[in-house]
Amino acid sequence: MNAAVEAARAGEQGRGFAVVAGEERHLAQRSASAAREIKAFTGDAVDRGEAGALLVDQAGATMSNIVASVQHVSGIIGEIAAGGEAQAAGLARINRAVKEMDAVTQQNAALVEEDAAVAQSMQEQADNLSRVIRVFKLAGGGAVVRPATPAKPGAALPAAARQEECEAL
């Protein structure tokens, strides 16, 4: 503004000076406008920097939560794996027990078959004995019971004594 006053006093010679002063005024206004814009941009950049720092802090907290969650899930997976191993060991024991029970069942089945064969053989022997006994006739229609003569161990009964015992039966 001072330059405009000086140009008016100078008159005709101050016209050039007035043009320069107008340009100066115009440049000063543009500089002030640019300074205001720079100040606004700087304020905006500071605000964005603060918001960015806040977002970084939030991201850090979120990452910490994610790490804790991953560790928790990892622990659960470890527990599941341990449970799976325990189940596998239990199933192996059950499998061994079932195999042992199968062996005992097969052994029992073999013994039952053997007992059945023995029972069949005893039945056949009883039938044969019954047929053999029917051949003998008892004297007087009744049974004759005679005490057996004691013999010395290893001594054989005479043939006549054996025949008499058979006839007595």
Side-chain angles (χ1 to χ4, degrees):
M1 182 122 122
N2 288 339
V5 172
E6 291 298 322
R9 280 190 204 162
E12 192 68 33
Q13 290 100 4
R15 263 190 194 176
F17 190 67
V19 170
V20 170
E23 284 299 319
E24 246 181 50
R25 196 173 40 244
H26 181 61
L27 282 173
Q29 288 171 350
R30 283 181 58 197
S31 290
S33 176
R36 281 190 298 273
E37 286 179 20
I38 289 172
K39 181 180 177 184
F41 285 140
T42 304
D44 189 41
V46 168
D47 290 343
R48 288 182 188 215
E50 289 174 354
L54 182 63
L55 289 174
V56 167
D57 289 343
Q58 289 174 349
T62 301
M63 291 299 285
S64 295
N65 289 340
I66 289 171
V67 167
S69 295
V70 166
Q71 289 173 342
H72 180 71
V73 168
S74 178
I76 291 171
I77 289 172
E79 290 173 9
I80 290 170
E85 289 173 3
Q87 284 180 346
L91 288 174
R93 285 192 300 270
I94 289 170
N95 191 27
R96 278 194 305 272
V98 167
K99 285 181 180 178
E100 288 174 10
M101 286 172 38
D102 183 47
V104 168
T105 300
Q106 288 179 4
Q107 193 175 29
N108 285 344
L111 289 173
V112 166
E113 286 179 19
E114 188 177 319
D115 286 348
V118 167
Q120 179 67 31
S121 175
M122 288 176 69
Q123 181 64 41
E124 289 172 2
Q125 288 177 4
D127 290 345
N128 286 339
L129 185 58
S130 180
R131 270 186 264 124
V132 168
I133 290 177
R134 277 189 231 134
V135 170
F136 294 101
K137 293 183 182 179
L138 295 177
V144 177
V145 179
R146 224 179 329 155
T149 39
K152 294 180 186 174
L157 286 175
R162 275 190 303 227
Q163 187 172 1
E164 286 179 283
E165 280 188 17
C166 285
E167 288 174 359
L169 293 175

